[in-house]
Amino acid sequence: MAFVIIGLWVAWFVYWHLAAFGTKPAQRRESVASRLSHIIPLVLAAWLFIRPGMAGPALGAPILPRAGGFDIAGALLVAAGLGFAVWARLHLAGNWSGTVTLKQDHELVRSGPYALVRHPIYTGLLLAAVGTVVAIDRWSALVALALMAAAFLRKIVIEERFMAEAFGPAYADYSRGTARLVPYLW
């Protein structure tokens, strides 16, 4: 099942980079220092997911005794999470960027997964990361999930500031009626 999970992440990664072509030109970007504040934790998280044993014996230890079905449950969560992120990416279309960016003629997208949460790409990626933790069953994977969540929370603060400045009352209204990451909760 590890092969399936790796394959899902690799397919997502390839799609993500290919889909970056054809986006609108940037009008405003976050600073390099700001970008590093969420990129560095994401790189560390990826390293811990890819090489869980490299984090040392304590972090390389299992979280729970292995039980049947963990691998399958993990793979299903990874597939669901990455699928949700791709659905969100498709709805953003030319407005998408890997960095916190306002595009020329940027639109406030409220359709599809954006009707459920304001940051569905992060929701999907975090769900996929939870699935990876379930499948890997190592403390290092749990630390990777925490780093990933911290990076996304940092990025959300920056993105929401950009969106509030660009869309004013429309974004405030959208924010009041839509959860950040977890539908109907937060």
Side-chain angles (χ1 to χ4, degrees):
M1 198 52 66
F3 182 73
V4 170
I5 292 170
I6 292 167
L8 288 168
W9 277 108
V10 167
W12 171 83
F13 186 80
V14 168
Y15 163 75
W16 216 248
H17 283 79
L18 291 175
F21 295 103
T23 61
K24 298 175 185 177
Q27 179 178 322
R28 177 182 172 202
R29 292 183 199 271
E30 68 180 317
S31 70
V32 172
S34 175
R35 186 167 188 213
L36 288 174
S37 73
H38 51 84
I39 293 294
I40 291 170
L42 285 174
V43 169
L44 291 171
W47 178 75
L48 287 170
F49 276 134
I50 293 168
R51 305 290 296 175
M54 296 291 289
L59 289 179
I63 300 168
L64 298 169
R66 291 306 285 173
F70 273 35
D71 292 344
I72 293 170
L76 290 173
L77 288 170
V78 170
L82 294 178
F84 194 73
V86 167
W87 182 36
R89 170 66 183 83
L90 290 169
H91 272 267
L92 273 183
N95 296 300
W96 178 84
S97 176
T99 63
V100 180
T101 305
L102 282 176
K103 299 290 191 162
Q104 291 178 10
D105 301 318
H106 202 105
E107 300 164 82
L108 178 57
V109 177
R110 299 172 111 171
S111 61
Y114 289 89
L116 300 171
V117 290
R118 295 192 306 270
H119 303 279
I121 290 173
Y122 305 143
T123 300
L125 293 178
L126 287 169
L127 180 60
V130 167
T132 305
V133 171
V134 168
I136 292 175
D137 187 38
R138 298 281 181 257
W139 287 104
S140 59
L142 199 58
V143 171
L145 174 62
L147 286 167
M148 197 173 182
F152 288 157
L153 291 174
R154 166 75 178 127
K155 199 170 177 186
I156 284 170
V157 168
I158 303 163
E159 285 180 3
E160 293 201 339
R161 186 177 66 237
F162 270 46
M163 297 300 281
E165 290 170 6
F167 296 105
Y171 192 73
D173 180 55
Y174 175 56
S175 295
R176 278 190 298 278
T178 313
R180 272 194 179 117
L181 281 174
V182 182
Y184 312 108
L185 292 177
W186 186 78

